[in-house]
Amino acid sequence: MARNKFDVDEELQTLFNGQHLKRLMGYIRPHRKALTITVMLMIISSIALLLGPYLVREAIDHKIPDKDVDGLIMISIGLALAMLTSSVCLKFRIRLMSSVAQKIIYTLREDIFLHLQKLPFSYFDNRPHGKIIIRVVNYVNALNDLLQNGIINVITDMFSLIFIVIFMFAIDVRLTLISMVGLPVLIVVTFLLKRAQRIRWQRVSSKQSNLNAYVHESICGIKVTQSFAREEENKNIFNTCNSAYKKSWMSAVRLVHLMWPISENISTLSISLLFYMGTSWLAYGEYIITVGTLVAFVSYIGRFWGPIMNLSNFYNQIIMAMAYLERIFETLDEEIVVKDQKDAYPIPTIAGSVTFSNVGFAYEENNPILKGINFHVEAGERIALVGSTGSGKTTIINLISRFYDIQEGDIFVDGHDIQKVTLASLRQQMGIMMQDTFIFSGTIMDNIRYGKRDATEEEIIQAAKEVKAHDFIMKMQDGYQTEVNERGSRLSVGQRQLISFARALLAKPAILILDEATSSIDTKTEMALQEGLERLLEGRTSFVVAHRLATIKNADRIFYIRDGRIIEAGTHEELIDLGGAYYKLFMTQYEILNNDIAL
């Protein structure tokens, strides 16, 4: 699969359907008690507000003509209590729904993050990380208004609408029917705009994702940017992404804002028609309508169109949320390719033997990386993997850790098929130092402890000493408590690798995997490290991917990989005597090393 880039719009694999809203309701359902309380509060608030026009009608038609002062005082008190009740209910509704919305967002974001932890390396290899981050943060946050206000508002507005219609029909059926004459027009317009709105919000999410991807890429590569004075060119690229996002946003918003004036105009025309008919009936007296009835009805018609317009706004929220829900659920539906089988069992404590039986593997279909790999490694044996870049060395060690699943053959650890054991039990008994070392934000001690969370301070210091990291750590301002930034920007490349090496070794794994572990350490440091490596590798099965002779020579066996096959295997001396590919590699590096020493 070709890697998606910041300037390539993401294509949805699954389009929106009713199941997405059903799944969203699954996150809402655990909070139904709070939602029920909120709905009850809003119903009470709606009823309290709807009593207002009715009380006004009573005052105009009866209390004022009868000069009933006590009655007017009671109506005034009733109006005040109604307003107070509505305000109190609204206050508690806001607090309750804010809490519920954030809990739902918390759970949704947690599910996405946990799912991402289980996805295979290929998922992250095929898309910019900025496009992944935006789904966890921005897209989930975009649902806040829908969850906090939209859903509860649509429920309460539906109840309000029912009560309003009941009150209106109770006062005058004919005026009620006149008030509703514009409703079919609004419904038709809403559905006509539906498809265009959804397409435009999909475009917004794509452009926003592209912008986020480029910002993330630019920040990660800021040192390279400044080194090559690319600031101006990068600014132009950023402006292109930013402009595309702005254009798509404005296009979507223009369509959204079209709903409000349409609703407002239909509402105004309906109210105007009501005024015309009502005043006509009053003037001619053909129908008996009191002034109080007309005043009350005007108040109710305003309240009638309020929920209607709120419902149209909720429809807009749903359309906008669709674009984000599609991306969120697309991520959650991403298949976890490397996972425990249903009958997977925890692998017992291992000695460390490893067997590859006719293993074939490809990252992409019809482009095999490994072809018929066969070997058996005894527990405690040290294996060096050598060969040109892209030959398949790193792929072999990735398969031992089961970061990818093989397409052909079998891999056994202590006789256990690694496809049939649980991932956690397998990886917990391995120490892995990948070629791309990663240092997390926090202290140096926390970074070394990352692979063994219960390690004592003494164990951490001992591991650092054995890999020759202790001296440079103690020279830092706060020693092991020195705070390092994300990706270890305060450390040199060699220092980061040594810390990563200590982290891998602290776990005391049965199988130790080192992928170019000394690639960024200078020759002098590497020579000092060899003594510690010899002690640490003793008694452990180890697979070492390296180019430097010092790391390779002491291996029990060396596998020379070319084009996905092991073309030579043996000890250093055996391969030198063979005079093949390994011999040529050795002689080339030997000459380079001699020249370095001479200098």
Side-chain angles (χ1 to χ4, degrees):
M1 175 178 169
R3 179 178 170 84
N4 180 260
K5 301 187 297 179
F6 69 83
D7 56 351
V8 177
D9 291 345
E10 294 179 281
E11 292 185 6
L12 281 170
Q13 302 301 313
T14 304
L15 296 179
F16 184 86
N17 56 61
Q19 290 299 315
H20 289 155
L21 284 178
K22 186 176 179 181
R23 289 175 68 177
L24 181 61
M25 291 304 297
Y27 286 92
I28 298 172
R29 198 169 295 115
H31 306 281
R32 54 183 174 270
K33 182 178 179 181
L35 288 172
T36 302
I37 294 172
T38 304
V39 170
M40 293 303 297
L41 288 172
M42 293 308 295
I43 291 174
I44 294 169
S45 174
S46 297
I47 293 173
L49 288 176
L50 290 173
L51 285 173
Y54 181 81
L55 293 174
V56 170
R57 177 197 180 197
E58 285 295 308
I60 293 174
D61 286 348
H62 302 289
K63 305 304 179 186
I64 293 176
D66 295 342
K67 297 181 180 180
D68 185 354
V69 177
D70 291 339
L72 285 172
I73 292 172
M74 293 303 296
I75 286 176
S76 298
I77 293 172
L79 283 171
L81 288 174
M83 295 299 293
L84 180 62
T85 301
S86 178
S87 299
V88 171
C89 290
L90 186 61
K91 174 185 176 182
F92 283 102
R93 174 259 182 195
I94 292 172
R95 287 185 177 180
L96 195 57
M97 280 312 298
S98 295
S99 174
V100 168
Q102 287 305 308
K103 287 177 181 177
I104 294 171
I105 286 173
Y106 175 91
T107 304
L108 190 57
R109 187 181 292 121
E110 180 183 45
D111 285 353
I112 296 175
F113 182 77
L114 292 177
H115 190 74
L116 287 172
Q117 302 291 299
K118 300 175 183 178
L119 292 178
F121 286 179
S122 56
Y123 177 82
F124 303 95
D125 292 340
N126 292 329
R127 50 184 50 79
H129 293 174
K131 292 192 177 187
I132 300 172
I133 294 170
I134 199 171
R135 298 186 182 211
V136 182
V137 183
N138 299 53
Y139 288 175
V140 176
N141 286 344
L143 301 178
N144 181 69
D145 193 44
L146 175 68
L147 296 170
Q148 183 172 325
N149 299 310
I151 292 176
I152 199 65
N153 280 350
V154 77
I155 296 172
T156 54
D157 283 337
M158 289 296 293
F159 277 107
S160 296
L161 208 54
I162 292 170
F163 288 125
I164 290 168
V165 172
I166 290 171
F167 272 89
M168 289 169 65
F169 271 111
I171 294 174
D172 193 287
V173 174
R174 293 155 302 196
L175 291 177
T176 302
L177 294 175
I178 292 170
S179 303
M180 295 182 176
V181 73
L183 196 55
V185 179
L186 180 62
I187 293 172
V188 171
V189 170
T190 300
F191 277 95
L192 287 176
L193 293 175
K194 173 188 174 183
R195 177 173 173 76
Q197 283 180 300
R198 180 170 175 269
I199 291 173
R200 293 191 187 187
W201 281 114
Q202 284 178 347
R203 190 177 300 125
V204 168
S205 71
S206 291
K207 300 305 180 184
Q208 186 182 18
S209 180
N210 291 348
L211 179 62
N212 199 72
Y214 185 69
V215 170
H216 179 269
E217 181 180 297
S218 298
I219 291 173
C220 291
I222 192 65
K223 292 182 179 179
V224 178
T225 296
Q226 293 182 1
S227 298
F228 288 90
R230 282 250 323 183
E231 293 89 346
E232 190 65 26
E233 187 171 346
N234 285 7
K235 183 194 78 171
N236 294 334
I237 297 173
F238 173 82
N239 286 340
T240 299
C241 295
N242 201 19
S243 296
Y245 174 53
K246 175 187 172 184
K247 183 178 179 181
S248 65
W249 173 268
M250 292 304 298
S251 175
V253 166
R254 275 195 294 269
L255 203 57
V256 168
H257 288 172
L258 197 61
M259 284 299 300
W260 178 260
I262 290 174
S263 303
E264 190 70 31
N265 287 332
I266 293 174
S267 168
T268 302
L269 290 172
S270 299
I271 293 172
S272 299
L273 180 60
L274 176 68
F275 266 114
Y276 175 77
M277 297 301 295
T279 53
S280 297
W281 292 340
L282 282 172
Y284 290 102
E286 184 179 351
Y287 298 96
I288 301 173
I289 297 178
T290 64
V291 174
T293 297
L294 184 58
V295 171
F297 220 92
V298 170
S299 297
Y300 280 127
I301 190 62
R303 286 174 168 80
F304 172 78
W305 279 100
I308 292 294
M309 286 187 281
N310 288 341
L311 289 172
S312 68
N313 287 335
F314 174 73
Y315 185 78
N316 281 333
Q317 283 183 322
I318 286 290
I319 295 296
M320 182 173 66
M322 281 182 184
Y324 300 116
L325 281 172
E326 286 167 337
R327 305 290 185 184
I328 290 168
F329 288 130
E330 182 185 52
T331 304
L332 286 171
D333 291 337
E334 192 73 35
E335 184 181 2
I336 301 174
V337 179
V338 182
K339 58 185 177 182
D340 293 337
Q341 296 182 2
K342 289 183 179 180
D343 56 349
Y345 60 92
I347 191 171
T349 302
I350 61 175
S353 70
V354 177
T355 303
F356 272 51
S357 176
N358 199 33
V359 171
F361 176 78
Y363 293 105
E364 298 177 5
E365 193 175 353
N366 300 322
N367 186 22
I369 301 299
L370 299 181
K371 309 161 190 174
I373 297 292
N374 290 281
F375 64 78
H376 176 74
V377 175
E378 295 291 347
E381 194 173 1
R382 189 185 312 175
I383 304 297
L385 304 176
V386 299
S388 60
T389 301
S391 59
K393 306 183 300 296
T394 298
T395 299
I396 289 176
I397 61 174
N398 281 338
L399 295 181
I400 297 172
S401 310
R402 208 182 153 203
F403 288 134
Y404 300 90
D405 277 339
I406 56 178
Q407 287 94 31
E408 297 176 8
D410 300 286
I411 300 176
F412 301 93
V413 171
D414 278 16
H416 297 274
D417 186 340
I418 65 171
Q419 302 278 80
K420 297 179 180 179
V421 302
T422 60
L423 288 169
S425 66
L426 176 68
R427 292 173 184 170
Q428 283 169 357
Q429 299 190 63
M430 294 185 179
I432 305 168
M433 182 178 170
M434 305 303 293
Q435 184 174 354
D436 181 18
T437 59
F438 193 95
I439 300 297
F440 297 88
S441 57
T443 66
I444 291 177
M445 182 165 288
D446 288 339
N447 268 280
I448 298 176
R449 185 186 277 126
Y450 192 84
K452 187 182 180 184
R453 288 173 288 280
D454 60 347
T456 64
E457 186 173 333
E458 290 73 21
E459 289 176 319
I460 292 169
I461 293 173
Q462 182 60 32
K465 285 180 177 179
E466 291 180 339
V467 300
K468 308 303 179 183
H470 178 73
D471 290 344
F472 88 77
I473 293 174
M474 292 307 298
K475 289 178 183 178
M476 302 191 78
Q477 184 176 0
D478 298 314
Y480 285 85
Q481 298 305 320
T482 300
E483 292 281 342
V484 291
N485 300 330
E486 181 184 356
R487 302 192 69 89
S489 59
R490 294 181 58 187
L491 303 169
S492 70
V493 176
Q495 289 172 337
R496 291 201 297 269
Q497 283 196 308
L498 288 173
I499 289 174
S500 182
F501 197 31
R503 177 168 61 200
L505 295 173
L506 180 64
K508 298 181 180 179
I511 298 175
L512 187 61
I513 295 174
L514 309 177
D515 186 358
E516 297 289 0
T518 59
S519 62
S520 298
I521 300 174
D522 58 80
T523 304
K524 182 179 179 181
T525 303
E526 184 183 13
M527 292 175 68
L529 183 62
Q530 284 303 125
E531 183 182 349
L533 280 175
E534 289 301 316
R535 293 197 307 271
L536 291 165
L537 294 176
E538 186 176 353
R540 291 190 179 91
T541 306
S542 58
F543 291 84
V544 183
V545 176
H547 289 105
R548 293 186 175 182
L549 297 178
T551 312
I552 299 170
K553 284 179 63 177
N554 295 328
D556 295 316
R557 277 190 292 166
I558 300 167
F559 295 163
Y560 194 100
I561 317 295
R562 178 186 289 170
D563 296 329
R565 301 182 186 278
I566 300 175
I567 62 169
E568 293 180 5
T571 64
H572 172 72
E573 290 75 14
E574 289 172 346
L575 295 182
I576 290 295
D577 292 341
L578 188 64
Y582 177 77
Y583 172 79
K584 294 176 182 177
L585 174 69
F586 175 80
M587 294 307 297
T588 301
Q589 290 208 16
Y590 184 75
E591 291 176 6
I592 294 173
L593 181 61
N594 282 339
N595 290 335
D596 288 343
I597 294 173
L599 290 174

